[in-house]
Each structure stands twice: as C-alpha cells, then as structure tokens.
Amino acid sequence: MTKSGLSLRWCNPPSLTALLARGSLAVGALWLGLALIAAPASGQGTVNGRVTVAGSGRPIAGAQVTVVGTNIGTTTGEDGQFVLVNVPVGRQEIRVAQIGYRVGLIGLNVQMGAITAETIELTRTVLRLDEVVVTGTAGQARRREVGNSIAQLEIAEAPDPPSSIETMLQGRAAGVNLTLGGGASGAGGTIRLRGAVSVSQSNQPIIYIDGVRTRSEGYRRNRPVSGYTGRSANVQQNPINDIDPADIERIEIIKGSAATTLYGTEASAGVIQIFTKKGRVGAPRWTFQMDQGFARMRPFGTEGNPYLNLKPASYAVFATDAEATLGGGSCADVAPNQDCSWLRNGYRSKYAGSVGGGVEGLSYFIAGSYSKYDGVLPNDTESKYSARGNFSFDVMNNVRIDWNTQYTSSNVGHTAQGNNAHGLTLNVYRQERNYFQSNDPRDLRKLLNQEIDTDINRLVTGVTVNVTPYSWFTNRYTLGYDFAHQELRNLRPFGFVRAPSGILGQDQIYYQTLTSDYVGNMNYGLTGSLRGTFSFGGQSILTKEVRTSAYGESFAGPGVPEVDDGSIYVTAGFFLQNMFDVNNKLFLTTGLRVDGHSAFGKNLGLQAYPKFSLSYVISDESFYPASLGELKLRSALGYSGRAPGTFAAIRIWNPEPTSGQPGYEPGNIGNDDVGPERTRELEFGFDAGLFDQRVSLEFTWYEQKTTDALMDVQQLPSLGNWDAQAANVGVLRNRGIEVNVNAQVVDAPDWGIELGGSFYTNESEVLALGEAVPFESGDGWVEEGWPIMAARGYMVMNPDEIADPIVVQDTIFGPSQPTLVVNPSVTIRLPMGIQLSARGEYRGGYYIQDGASFNALSRAVIWPTCREAGAYDIIDANRDAGRALEDGLTARQRVECIQDNTDSDYMYFKADFFKLRDLTLRVPMEWAIPKTSSATLSLTVQNWARWLNDDMRIFDPEMGERNTVSESGVLAFQEAYPPPGIFTASLRITF
C-alpha cells in the first residue's frame, strides 16, 4: 500500500516589494559605480611599525592597524610588528585598535616609495570605547558613539574551546538566554534575547555571517511524512551550529528593537552577527587543533535512582554497568551475552587546521575541519566536514573586495526517542507497561534496528565591496547567498519489531536566502566642535524553502513523491540615518527604516521604523574627576517588526477528498490588512571603568512593547467553517535589567584573579488581546494580565497534607521563560602561564512541564518519585487491607501515584537550576613543541555538575524535545534525556 498527496501553495509578492528588492540592487550598483569613477589616484609608500604596551614596551599581538579613510589595514604579529603597503603619499592618520586598550592614533607623512617606521603605544582600558562594532549600525561605529547595549564575544577570550556556537553563546552575556535541546546528537537549542516578543511568530533572532543574512530558524525535524509524526528522534538541529567555532573572530549581539531598527521587519527578536577570521599581509601563519574527549551522561533521575535503574524493578537499561539489579538477579542472569546498558561514553574527536597570510594587495584565510561526535545512546552519531576560504583584494588603495565562503557537510544519526512507541527511551521509562509488556533487554534491543539519518550540505558565500573615494565618503555593498540541502531518511526496515512490513519516509528540503545590502556613509563638519555622519542604504532579502517528500508502506511498490510544502517571501527596504558628534563626547543619532514585505496584506503598504539614541562620554569632560575612572551614559529608543506568516494575508482552500472524489474545505480566510508585529524598545544604561581600570561595569534597563501582536481570531460561523485568522490585535510587554561586571582582583606579574559575570531579569506580561479570546500557544497560555505564554494547569494547594487534594484548576503557575539568569565566572592566572577558569549559569523563576512522568504515572508504572516517597508501599498495604487506596497518602501523592487520578495538568514544576557550564585548565606547551609561536593544551569539562530546586524531583529542565530552536511556549519534555557531561582535551598549535 502506498500513500501520496499533493498540495501546492504560492504567494506572489506585491509589485511594490519586488520593485524595492530590484531597486536596492540597482542603487548599490549605481553608487559603487559613481564611487569608482570618483576614486582619486595618488603615489604610494610603505609604513613599517611596532605596537607596544605603554610603560612596559611589551609587544601587542593581533592589534588591528588601519590607514584612516582607506581600506588599507593589517594586524600585528606576535612581536607587535606590522607592515602597511600601498599607503597614499602625504599626511596620513594611522589607527591601532586592540581589545583591552585605548585606540591609538598617530599622524605620519608618507613619501612615495619610502618606508616610514614608527612605534605606537597603547594604554590599557576596560571600557573599549573606541572599539569598532558593526551590528546595528550603518557601517562601522565606535562604541562611544552607540547609545544601545551591544554584547561582543571574542573567541580568543573564551578559555574553553567551544564545540559549537551554542556553547559559545551560553551564559556569556546578560540578556542572552540559550536553552539546550536535550542530549541527542545534533540537538539544537533555543536562543532568546530578552524574552519572547511574539506568541504566534518566531522568537528566534536573525543571524548574519560576515554581513550575509543566513537561515536562523531550525532545520526540519526528521519525521515521517505520514502517520504519527513522533516516530523519530524528536530533535531539531540549529543552523547556527554549522559554523566551525575555530573560524570565528567575534560575535556581536544586539538584543532588541532599540538597536535593530536598521534591520526592519524581521528584527524584533534581536540580531546575532558572526564575523569570521581574516588573513593579514605577511608570512603564512599556520594553526592546527586536535580535540579528543568523551560524553558521559550525568545523573538525571532521583537521588537514590540516578539513572532510573529502579530496584527491585526488572530492568536496568540506563544503568552504567552490567551488574545492575534485574529482578533480583544480575544482567547476565536475565539476558546472557547481552549488553544491558544502553548508555555509553560517547567518543568525541575533532581535527582542524588553518592558514592565514597575505602579499601586497591580497590577504587570505583558509581553514578546514573534521569532527566526529558519538552520542550516549547506541545510534547517536554526528560527523561534520567544514571548509572555509576568506579572501581580501585591494583593487586600489580605496577599493577593497572581501569574498567569504563556507561549505559544511554533516551527517547525524539518531536513536529513536521521545514520545515514540517505536523508540528506545519511551519503552525503557515505561518498564513492564511499555509496548512490549516486557523490559527484557533482548526485546528492547530490537528497537535499535531502524535508521534515522539526516544529511545537510550547506554553502554560505558573500562578496562585500568597500569603496572609499574620499576620506569622508565610504560605500559598502554586500551580495550574499545561503543555500542548504537537507536530506532526511526515516527507515523501519522489513521485519522491524513494531512494524513488521516496514516503513520508509524520505524528505528533500532546499533552503535559500539571497542578501543584497548597500550602505553609504558621508562624514561632514559643521563647526570645529560639531561634526556629523549621514548614512543611507537599501536592503533586500529573498527567502525560499522547497520540500519534496516520499512515503511508502509495506514495500509492495515504491513510495510516491509529493510536493508537500513550499514558500517564498521577499522583504526589502531603505534607511536614512544621521549622527551628530559634539567634541567626540556627545553623540545623537536619529534614523528611519522603511520596509515592504511580500506577506503584508495588500491594504497595508510600507512600514516605517524610527530610531533615536544618545551617548555621552561624561568622563571626558574637564569637570569629571579622573579618580572616578571612565563613564559613558547611554539611552536608545527604536522600533522594529516581525512579519506575519507567508500565507496569512491570502485566502487558502485545503484539498479534502470526499468519497473518493476531489474536493476542498475552507482554510485561511485571508486578511488584506494583516501586517507586521511592531516592537518598540526603550533602554537606558551606563558603562563604567572603575578603580584604575580594574573593574568594568555595564548596566541596562530595558522595556519592550509589542503592539499589533498577531493572534488567531475566531471567524463568525455565518461566514463558513474557516480557520481562525491571524490579525494584529494584541499588546505584549517585556522589561528588566542587565548587568555585566568584570574585576581584576589580583593582577601580579606571575599570577592573578579575575572575577566576572552577568545578571539578567525579565518580566513579561500580556497587556491586551483585542478581539482574541484567551488561548493556548505552544502549550503556553495567553491571557491579559499574565506572563507571555504562561504555564497553566491544575495546582494542588495542600500538596504535603495527608488529605484529599484541594485543586484549583486553570491556575497560572508562572512564566515559561526565566525571570532571573546569573552567570558567574572566575579566572585564576598561575605562574608559567597556566590558567584555571570556571563558568556557571543559574536560571530561575520559570516553569516546565514533565510529560515523561505523566505518561508513566498514567500507565501505573512504578515511578521513582512515588517509590522513594513510600507511596506504593502504602497503596499496596491499603489494597491488601481493603482500605481506600488514598489512605495515608499526601494530597500530591493522591493525584500523582494513583493511576486514575493522574492528569498532565498537574505536571508543572519550577525549573530553577544551576549548572557548572565549564571548568578549564590551560597550559602553555611551547616548551615541549619547538619552532612554534604558540601552543596551548586545554582540559575542559562541561555540564558536569548541577543543582536543581526541590520541586524538580526527577529529570532535568534541559531535556528538550519540545520548545527547541524555532518553537516557543512552555518548556516541556517527553521521554528524552538531558545534555551529557563532556570532557575535552584540546591541543592548539600555531607556527
């Protein structure tokens, strides 16, 4: 028997949007052409110099050296030396920037054909006011000019070698909340910046790589295309993890609309921009890295039964050795010659290499890596190949072309898990009540005879042209392309224990994103103390997704392919911005973004998003006491949006055959007025460098308010049986504070102690529903006056009393997003360059739903929470004595441990926890490996220790399955397992 179907949907973008998309390409080409024509010619010379620390003369490596007003630049070597070639003759200003130091500026007279030598000294600072940032700004901007908070993560500052971008983001900046998606291979996490700003659209931030817009939503899950969709591993992969962390130079994060106006309709959930490494003029610099390690599941059950190896229950498949008790005997007694422990230590390895360098007019960075990570369950594997080529060409001294390309090929194999009757973990958790009515390991092992494989091939490439015809006029045009091909195979072969005739599902999905982006900046002077920068530009983003699926049963014939899903949308717009600079101390910025989008209703038209920001470096004033250090005051107000779904504006009829005849039924009624959700964000804050630059402190208060929030509004029955229609009727709010602090407690020549961390709060509320009635979204409840997508269920008011439960139904337990996140860190610098560091994360104030416990308890499984509390002994004694089963039980035990009373609405628990995210020891190894410029051995353990609140009696809040990557709502897990602890030994060598 075969099954097939056909569903074709298409949404034509409005002609105005298409015109804007084509217009941004034309405008970019026009401006670049004019700039090239206007480019002046001049003679050239060379600047040769050295960058050192003021006072000590110690060389500074990796500092960025540029000729102001040109595209000429390089970085310093380990000895602090640099060479700038093709420098125009005449008076030139050389700019030197490095993290932790004030920017150095020096004027030089460059002569034709001559070499000018100079030493430049930099002074330490913790505020980095002259550090250049790009994300959220029109072109490059110094931190002193920016009125909003920008988190910047430097890969070189991370003491532990991150295995993925997610681990690099987790717990390193206030307001960045990353929830891991469970322990399965390739499982992606959920990224939220300052909470959720929508109840119907994605809350995932948009992602850029080297200025190229890339896919930010999770890849499709590997699920069968027909039948129950849970017949899979129930995990979702995050595209951000396709990037090799070893290729990254830095990550910039802007967390809300106050800073994302320039990104328009798609940016209300924030922006993450990743910058990869570049080469520099000079001899080739080779780097090699080798990682070896293992993943081991840490205890995640109850204290007495850490791996759910219940005693004297008759199974121990989650035991860590073969001697676990099985029905009073050993594993060998029940299953001779069988491995009773499915959990294993998953071997992990990675090999990476890169080379960077350059000659006159050309610099390059080429990298490649291979990694193989085995999971803790038998079929869990992940292998990945990655290659990168970044090239920069100086066509003239005022024209620079950057070409960045990344290719990644990955394969992920999964063990069937989650709420899946054909999966291993569900049948393990449910013991003798499982779908075999047996927990004999010989039966459970048969479930491993299936294939759940995902192959992803991805190419991200982009060309950026920087043209500087005059020192006051810069132009940047980026054309980028992100293409990913995902192939899914879900096979239960002929003879599979739960489907003897076999089932095969296959998917082919193609994701494409095309970026066209132009920015121009003109600097001008009004008076001696008042200057300005006028910026303008345009952008278009085209996104396309096509899916082809095939499905077959019984294998009597081939499956019939079907075109299951396809979507395309275009967003395009332009912006204007002006910044006034008063004495290099006070900066006022105003801007406006105007957007069109193919998903807007035809009556809507263009949308405008204004922005305002103010930055005041008050410590540069003469009246400010120098003893108080540095202080920058800042504030920002901005608007951005989130587009409706691709087909929200149009009427859709769904194919619905009846009695073997083709037919249709009402679907989406359509809304000509539907438009984007609009988020307004206001933030105030300050950045301070205190106690002789030994302490840095950043403080931000923010408030986000989303108006025109999209919510499903029920249609009048008289109109027909139409689905609820998305309409802009709601109002949502988030607000809180963010604090980042870092302190050099001890800074001696041979040793030191550095304490740091971040503190973040978030309070959300649904302010209005408009025409919508309270409803459920992502298992979260949406109602006026309560947190956004709150946890809602049955609350037992007297849980610890030996009495009948007093139950209040439809109670709001609390938020589904953390309201408090604290990330402490400590670094200890020891003699001989040895460094020990630790970083933790506390998350609290939110609730999670435990679906796995409910599924087991409702089937009368002997469950740890009831066994350890003695509930089953009491129930057995009552049954033998003919008493009511409830006698002697607490109110909570009566609703949990007695099968007929159990309900999933009781299963909401506080999710507060603390985890040791990483503990790392770094040891210099140059002494053992000759002829290297640097060599470091790092030993790291991740997620090895944890603390849970008492309400969370079993499992782990990061067990995943639901609410991962693109999903929003209440965190909930089924029969999954949490991320394991990971040990990694990493050796990194540079020649």
Side-chain angles (χ1 to χ4, degrees), residues 312-317 326-327 334-335 340 342 427-445 861:
S314 57
Y315 83 105
V317 292
L326 275 163
V334 177
C340 298
W342 308 124
N427 285 282
V428 166
Y429 285 155
R430 296 188 187 176
Q431 305 175 55
E432 71 282 352
R433 302 281 184 174
N434 61 22
Y435 286 89
F436 293 98
Q437 298 297 303
S438 164
N439 43 41
D440 190 322
R442 291 166 294 191
D443 291 329
L444 298 176
R445 181 164 292 280
V861 174

Side-chain angles (χ1 to χ4, degrees), residues 372-543:
K372 187 177 189 302
Y373 300 149
D374 291 334
V376 296
L377 288 183
N379 292 348
D380 275 20
T381 62
E382 179 181 9
S383 60
K384 183 182 299 183
Y385 297 88
S386 177
R388 170 168 295 281
N390 292 347
F391 302 91
S392 296
F393 308 90
D394 292 323
V395 181
M396 304 179 218
N397 59 24
N398 53 10
V399 179
R400 183 182 183 90
I401 299 176
D402 295 316
W403 176 29
N404 304 313
T405 300
Q406 166 206 326
Y407 173 76
T408 305
S409 177
S410 64
N411 172 266
V412 178
H414 285 126
T415 305
Q417 60 155 316
N419 191 14
N420 178 3
H422 295 186
L424 176 68
T425 55
L426 179 146
N427 285 282
V428 166
Y429 285 155
R430 296 188 187 176
Q431 305 175 55
E432 71 282 352
R433 302 281 184 174
N434 61 22
Y435 286 89
F436 293 98
Q437 298 297 303
S438 164
N439 43 41
D440 190 322
R442 291 166 294 191
D443 291 329
L444 298 176
R445 181 164 292 280
K446 298 173 184 177
L447 294 168
L448 299 177
N449 184 29
Q450 55 182 301
E451 299 175 20
I452 304 175
D453 293 323
T454 300
D455 290 306
I456 298 174
N457 292 284
R458 187 179 184 192
L459 174 71
V460 180
T461 186
V463 175
T464 298
V465 182
N466 292 279
V467 181
T468 309
Y470 302 98
S471 61
W472 52 268
F473 184 28
T474 63
N475 301 266
R476 185 191 73 213
Y477 177 69
T478 299
L479 181 65
Y481 183 60
D482 178 14
F483 173 81
H485 170 220
Q486 183 184 19
E487 182 175 359
L488 309 178
R489 179 177 173 85
N490 193 309
L491 171 66
R492 280 152 286 172
F494 184 84
F496 179 68
V497 62
R498 297 292 302 156
S501 58
I503 299 175
L504 171 66
Q506 288 191 236
D507 269 309
Q508 301 274 349
I509 307 106
Y510 299 88
Y511 311 92
Q512 300 178 66
T513 303
L514 179 65
T515 304
S516 175
D517 191 339
Y518 167 75
V519 175
N521 291 277
M522 293 189 295
N523 300 317
Y524 58 90
L526 298 175
T527 66
S529 61
L530 179 61
R531 303 185 60 82
T533 301
F534 177 69
S535 305
F536 53 94
Q539 181 187 72
S540 68
I541 307 292
L542 182 147
T543 300

Side-chain angles (χ1 to χ4, degrees), residues 7-302:
S7 175
L8 293 173
R9 294 180 291 179
W10 188 260
C11 179
N12 292 318
S15 59
L16 180 58
T17 301
L19 183 62
L20 283 171
R22 293 193 295 268
S24 67
L25 285 165
V27 168
L30 175 62
W31 275 103
L32 290 175
L34 292 175
L36 285 168
I37 293 172
S42 63
Q44 298 172 346
T46 299
V47 176
N48 189 349
R50 186 168 183 260
V51 180
T52 63
V53 179
S56 70
R58 182 171 59 84
I60 299 177
Q64 296 179 339
V65 185
T66 57
V67 180
V68 177
T70 75
N71 294 311
I72 300 171
T74 186
T75 57
T76 59
E78 294 295 327
D79 56 0
Q81 298 284 347
F82 69 89
V83 177
L84 298 169
V85 297
N86 298 327
V87 181
V89 300
R91 187 69 176 175
Q92 298 294 339
E93 190 173 39
I94 309 300
R95 182 180 187 274
V96 183
Q98 175 62 309
I99 296 171
Y101 297 88
R102 287 192 175 94
V103 166
L105 293 172
I106 188 170
L108 296 176
N109 287 315
V110 180
Q111 298 180 2
M112 184 179 298
I115 298 177
T116 304
E118 190 67 42
T119 297
I120 304 173
E121 295 184 333
L122 300 185
T123 304
R124 290 186 180 276
T125 182
V126 294
L127 281 197
R128 308 179 181 181
L129 292 178
D130 292 304
E131 182 179 46
V132 172
V133 293
V134 174
T135 311
T137 65
Q140 295 185 342
R142 297 172 298 162
R143 278 186 176 273
R144 65 170 55 239
E145 301 167 354
V146 179
N148 53 266
S149 170
I150 296 182
Q152 186 162 328
L153 307 177
E154 302 282 344
I155 187 68
E157 294 183 329
D160 56 306
S163 58
S164 67
I165 303 300
E166 287 186 342
T167 58
M168 186 174 178
L169 292 174
Q170 190 172 48
R172 298 185 193 269
V176 180
N177 181 23
L178 191 146
T179 301
L180 296 178
S185 293
T190 304
I191 303 173
R192 295 291 176 264
L193 306 179
R194 293 180 175 173
V197 295
S198 177
V199 297
S200 62
Q201 306 304 299
S202 172
N203 285 289
Q204 188 81 347
I206 58 177
I207 310 295
Y208 281 79
I209 303 175
D210 293 320
V212 175
R213 175 77 172 270
T214 63
R215 180 174 179 83
S216 57
E217 304 302 323
Y219 289 122
R220 283 185 180 265
R221 300 189 183 199
N222 191 338
R223 290 173 164 173
V225 297
S226 183
Y228 177 55
T229 60
R231 301 284 185 257
S232 72
N234 293 297
V235 298
Q236 189 175 23
Q237 294 174 246
N238 194 333
I240 201 171
N241 289 327
D242 291 340
I243 310 163
D244 188 346
D247 296 344
I248 294 174
E249 179 182 284
R250 73 183 191 278
I251 299 176
E252 293 180 2
I253 305 169
I254 51 179
K255 292 167 279 190
S257 299
T260 59
T261 295
L262 298 185
Y263 299 91
T265 298
E266 294 297 303
S268 62
V271 177
I272 296 176
Q273 183 146 203
I274 298 168
F275 299 88
T276 59
K277 295 176 180 178
K278 311 291 184 184
R280 64 179 180 87
V281 175
R285 182 180 176 88
W286 297 86
T287 299
F288 298 96
Q289 180 177 332
M290 180 178 68
D291 297 350
Q292 301 290 308
F294 61 87
R296 180 179 177 84
M297 183 55 65
R298 304 295 295 152
F300 66 98
T302 62

Side-chain angles (χ1 to χ4, degrees), residues 599-602 645-651 668-672 674 725:
F600 292 172
K602 65 181 181 181
T646 307
F647 304 105
I650 61 177
R651 180 166 296 189
N668 188 52
I669 195 171
N671 182 356
D672 291 340
V674 71
Q725 169 65 48

Side-chain angles (χ1 to χ4, degrees), residues 719-797:
L719 297 177
N721 189 30
W722 294 99
D723 295 338
Q725 169 65 48
N728 301 102
V729 297
V731 182
L732 313 172
R733 183 180 66 194
N734 282 282
R735 60 185 175 190
I737 63 171
E738 298 169 351
V739 178
N740 288 286
V741 63
N742 191 75
Q744 288 282 354
V745 179
V746 177
D747 190 17
D750 292 330
W751 67 288
I753 300 175
E754 182 177 331
L755 300 177
S758 62
F759 177 93
Y760 157 68
T761 68
N762 179 268
E763 175 190 337
S764 69
E765 183 179 355
V766 179
L767 299 181
L769 292 181
E771 302 169 36
V773 297
F775 62 96
E776 189 174 70
S777 175
D779 296 312
W781 189 249
V782 181
E783 184 176 352
E784 290 182 11
W786 294 103
I788 299 173
M789 291 180 288
R792 176 178 179 262
Y794 299 167
M795 180 175 288
V796 179
M797 307 304 293

